[in-house]
Amino acid sequence: PKEPSGPLSADSIKINKEVANAFVKRKKRASPYEWYFEYYKSPMEQMHERCENYPPCDYLSEQVGFALAYNRFFG
């Protein structure tokens, strides 16, 4: 094997498509329900994200739990 003499660049590190596909597989959807739930979130998940995106709520949820923290700031 030939050792590189200089710094590696993005162009020097290449793998062919078949090798890349061996460990990076695209997930196939089994049903329309999986497709739907990938794009539309449940109300509970939307509430969690709202609390996570607001730092005081996120911090308090780690201390007292999600339900109490969410009600404190948004309820």
Side-chain angles (χ1 to χ4, degrees):
K2 183 177 160 184
E3 294 293 324
S5 59
L8 294 176
S9 68
D11 293 334
S12 67
I13 303 172
K14 300 252 184 197
I15 57 174
N16 65 22
K17 193 175 189 179
E18 290 77 23
V19 173
N21 286 335
F23 60 91
V24 179
K25 297 273 185 199
R26 182 169 182 235
K27 181 182 169 191
K28 303 209 187 245
R29 294 183 186 94
S31 69
Y33 296 105
E34 289 180 23
W35 179 85
Y36 175 83
F37 286 118
E38 184 176 325
Y39 290 101
Y40 299 101
K41 298 176 182 163
S42 70
M44 183 59 78
E45 188 173 353
Q46 291 174 356
M47 290 168 57
H48 273 280
E49 287 186 356
R50 186 175 181 194
C51 187
E52 287 172 358
N53 290 334
Y54 186 59
C57 183
D58 188 34
Y59 177 76
L60 187 61
S61 71
E62 293 174 3
Q63 307 298 317
V64 299
F66 166 73
L68 292 174
Y70 187 85
N71 285 335
R72 164 76 168 81
F73 291 101
F74 304 108

